[in-house]
Amino acid sequence: MHKKSKINNTQNLGTHINKHTHSHIGNHINKRITNALAKCIKSFLLAGFCMLATIHIAHAQNPQQVPNTNNKINSDLKEGRDFIVLENPIPNAKNTIIEVFSYSCPFCYRYSKHLPNLIKSLPENVEFKPYHLSKKGDYGQLASQVFAVLVFKDKKANIPITDAEKSHFYKAQKAYFNAYNINKERWGGGKNPQAFLHTGLDSAGIKLDDFYATLQEKAVQEILASWEDSYEVARIQGIPAFVVNGKYLIYTKSIHSLEDLKYKIIELLKK
């Protein structure tokens, strides 16, 4: 009886230990699985948010993405339908028309074919200012640096950035637009910045050493800093985005033609 009791006690103790061990291991495994699942869900949601943010910037909410070359004008200009007043106006932008664009935006490319002639037809005291969006495209930040350097060089040489023959900015922008949209060039998807630089700088006739040196200029850094405002504008309706006097954002969905865009710009310049 004494031996049997000891055997039973030992079995009971073993069963208790096994149950406790299995329960502890099971809880530990369940906890690890739960944590892993939570991380997976978090990563999925974060990726989805980033994708939505990218899509929002990439595509303007605009059924009329390609400007018509007809002369249709909607002379009944209304706030809320044709334009909105920015809550945070872009500073130092009186008598300007700002275009927020990206080298990787196909609709910006299409508008670029017509903008030079439209800009030339505006009053002489109106300045056209391109604002490159650094947060779009594999080389968004690098492209902004290239364009800022070239805008600086054009301004220093008193060359209009719409001058197809002389403007460094115009030549580089055209080279990037053609490479990206026509030749489907992606420069290694962010892995070949040197090739990306050469596409723009070679077309503009600028050496790499000159680019890097000019990039350090205070005026160039000020241009880049001012372009940071473009992100908040792009979030409203996508790009291209046209802002008049730093205050009035034209709804691209309301643009019926190039003449209509010109009309809207001129009317908003008067405000």
Side-chain angles (χ1 to χ4, degrees), residues 57-58 102-105 132-140 239:
I57 293 176
S102 167
Y103 79 91
S104 63
C105 166
H132 186 263
L133 183 63
S134 65
K135 291 180 173 62
K136 178 167 167 35
D138 293 322
Y139 297 101
I239 54 176

Side-chain angles (χ1 to χ4, degrees), residues 11-259:
Q11 288 176 341
N12 289 337
L13 179 61
T15 301
H16 176 73
I17 291 172
N18 285 337
K19 285 183 178 180
H20 179 76
T21 303
H22 289 159
S23 176
H24 178 72
I25 292 173
N27 290 337
H28 180 68
I29 292 173
N30 287 336
K31 187 175 182 180
R32 291 185 66 181
I33 291 173
T34 301
N35 289 340
L37 184 60
K39 288 181 180 179
C40 182
I41 293 172
K42 183 178 180 181
S43 298
F44 176 78
L45 292 174
L46 181 60
F49 174 79
C50 293
M51 184 178 294
L52 287 173
T54 301
I55 291 172
H56 181 75
I57 293 176
H59 301 287
Q61 300 168 358
N62 171 24
Q64 180 51 54
Q65 289 290 7
V66 184
N68 287 321
T69 54
N70 60 42
N71 295 323
K72 183 179 178 181
I73 295 176
N74 183 6
S75 58
D76 183 22
L77 194 64
K78 289 184 178 180
E79 181 179 347
R81 185 193 66 188
D82 301 299
F83 70 93
I84 61 170
V85 180
L86 296 177
E87 290 184 8
N88 299 305
I90 298 172
N92 305 316
K94 182 66 176 175
N95 290 327
T96 67
I97 170 65
I98 291 171
E99 182 200 12
V100 179
F101 79 101
S102 167
Y103 79 91
S104 63
C105 166
F107 305 120
C108 302
Y109 160 65
R110 294 171 187 174
Y111 267 90
S112 72
K113 299 176 183 179
H114 308 284
L115 281 179
N117 287 334
L118 184 148
I119 294 164
K120 290 175 185 177
S121 68
L122 295 175
E124 290 185 5
N125 65 330
V126 176
E127 181 182 4
F128 174 70
K129 288 186 172 184
Y131 275 42
H132 186 263
L133 183 63
S134 65
K135 291 180 173 62
K136 178 167 167 35
D138 293 322
Y139 297 101
Q141 187 172 1
L142 189 58
S144 287
Q145 293 174 348
V146 171
F147 286 130
V149 164
L150 301 183
V151 165
F152 169 76
K153 283 186 171 292
D154 281 351
K155 190 170 184 178
K156 190 175 181 180
N158 199 28
I159 300 172
I161 60 177
T162 54
D163 189 326
E165 298 296 325
K166 298 178 181 179
S167 169
H168 300 92
F169 171 87
Y170 182 94
K171 292 175 182 178
Q173 185 190 53
K174 183 177 179 179
Y176 281 129
F177 276 154
N178 288 344
Y180 190 91
N181 294 281
I182 298 175
N183 301 329
K184 307 303 178 184
E185 177 65 74
R186 296 300 181 266
W187 303 276
K191 298 178 181 178
N192 197 346
Q194 289 299 309
F196 182 83
L197 278 174
H198 277 294
T199 296
L201 296 180
D202 290 354
S203 65
I206 304 297
K207 300 294 184 182
L208 272 175
D209 290 345
D210 187 11
F211 163 71
Y212 286 120
T214 308
L215 184 60
Q216 306 308 314
E217 293 275 356
K218 181 182 178 182
V220 174
Q221 293 302 312
E222 288 175 350
I223 292 172
L224 287 170
S226 70
W227 287 359
E228 290 302 311
D229 293 321
S230 65
Y231 179 67
E232 292 304 319
V233 173
R235 287 181 61 189
I236 296 173
Q237 66 159 7
I239 54 176
F242 301 99
V243 181
V244 180
N245 282 345
K247 187 176 181 180
Y248 305 107
L249 172 63
I250 297 174
Y251 276 135
T252 47
K253 65 184 179 182
S254 74
I255 300 173
H256 299 288
S257 67
L258 291 172
E259 283 298 315

